[in-house]
Amino acid sequence: MAGHPLITAQLDALAARLPAPAAAELADGLWETYERRLDECGDPDRAAYAAVTDFGDADTITAAFLRHAPQRRVALLLLATGPIMAVLWGTALLTAHALAWPVPPAGKLLYGGALMATVALLLMTIRERRSYRRGRAMTVGALAALIALDVLMSLTAVTVGPVPAWPTALAVTASMLRILLALRALPSVLTG
Amino acid sequence: MRAEALKGHLDGLLLATLEDGPLHGYAVKEALREVTEGRIDLPTGTVYPALHRLEGAGLISGTWAVANGRRRRTYRLTAAGHAALSDQRAGWQEFATAVTFALKARPWPATP
């Protein structure tokens, strides 16, 4: 059966936003809808318009996929555990007098900026409604950044700071757990 | 029937359509429309994200095949899906019975 430009355009829009398997499945559904409408009315243009209307718009479908996407769940989990990590590291740095550590101010600023950018990426991921792929890329970026930041902070605390006390040990353990969580989440985010 | 009226019941409805055997997304939508005599006619595109969510929860499983020259994903209920459907049915019966009692028209009390 011949195609229709309206259906092709709708599928192109969905394919640009969604993972390939989801786009392939939607393509089957939309062509099926079109073929049924064409059988009913016999007019390709009317059938295509009716099929697209019946199917729902690309924004609604993309938002529905994103609402339950693995990347959104991971971003929510990381944001929810953020305040706990902040308390743990805040206590560790205060008790270890981190302001006196021989770390250049530019390094501290860079670290703070990278941390804020990572939180912003996670917030943007959970607010993303239009592109599954963009949401996935932002989550992967945030996970990679969090792993790097956790490793850097833990190494600095252990090597530059004084003999680690229990708050530092607790914070480093929490960071290691978050790194494990991020590594475990990466495959589902990449393939989800 | 308005879509918001289905909130909280969509999963059970989709699981019920798969109880008799595997179906692909469009067939699920059509089965739901037919069994409700047209009262529930979901936008086709919204059925797919719901099926993906159910698959992610392990209640259904999907397999790819080729039909009419197109890739097609067909879903079937898993054991967990059958159990979830039974729970949904029991919950619905309880809810429907309670609401039916609550909404039942009562005669006006007799004037003394």
Side-chain angles (χ1 to χ4, degrees), chain A residues 98-190:
Chain A
L99 283 176
W101 291 358
V103 176
K108 291 176 186 170
L109 275 176
L110 203 63
Y111 188 93
L115 190 59
M116 297 301 284
T118 305
V119 172
L121 266 182
L122 291 171
L123 285 169
M124 283 160 66
T125 298
I126 60 168
R127 290 179 63 84
E128 177 62 51
R129 294 284 182 274
R130 290 180 57 82
S131 173
Y132 195 99
R133 290 178 178 185
R134 190 164 52 223
R136 183 159 63 187
M138 287 192 296
T139 311
V140 170
L143 286 174
L146 264 185
I147 291 171
L149 290 171
D150 272 333
V151 168
L152 189 63
M153 182 59 94
S154 301
L155 281 176
T156 307
V158 171
T159 57
V160 180
V163 178
W166 67 264
T168 306
L170 211 57
V172 169
T173 306
S175 275
M176 293 302 119
L177 287 174
R178 184 160 67 176
I179 290 170
L180 281 177
L181 170 81
L183 288 173
R184 280 195 61 173
L186 259 177
S188 71
V189 170
L190 286 168

Side-chain angles (χ1 to χ4, degrees), chain A residues 38-75:
Chain A
L38 191 57
D39 284 345
E40 287 164 13
C41 73
D43 177 359
D45 290 338
R46 275 180 58 202
Y49 183 77
V52 170
T53 305
D54 177 37
F55 204 72
D57 63 279
D59 284 349
T60 307
I61 295 168
T62 308
F65 269 104
L66 274 164
R67 212 170 295 131
H68 303 285
Q71 64 236 30
R72 191 166 187 273
R73 282 201 304 272
V74 171

Side-chain angles (χ1 to χ4, degrees), chain B residues 11-68:
Chain B
D11 289 3
L13 292 169
L14 295 178
L15 291 174
T17 61
L18 293 169
E19 195 175 25
D20 293 335
L23 294 173
H24 59 90
Y26 186 83
V28 167
K29 169 241 188 332
E30 281 298 288
L32 191 55
R33 192 177 64 80
E34 281 166 21
V35 82
T36 60
E37 296 176 340
R39 290 183 183 90
I40 298 178
D41 192 8
L42 299 171
T44 314
T46 62
V47 170
Y48 293 92
L51 289 171
H52 276 232
R53 182 167 44 77
L54 292 175
E55 189 178 18
L59 302 181
I60 60 176
S61 65
T63 49
W64 286 103
V66 175
N68 301 331

Side-chain angles (χ1 to χ4, degrees), chain B residues 53 88 111:
Chain B
R53 182 167 44 77
Q88 290 259 355
T111 313

Side-chain angles (χ1 to χ4, degrees), chain B residues 70-86:
Chain B
R70 297 191 295 262
R71 290 183 74 208
R72 171 168 287 174
R73 193 157 176 81
T74 303
Y75 296 94
R76 66 178 64 241
L77 275 185
T78 61
H82 279 287
L85 179 57
S86 296

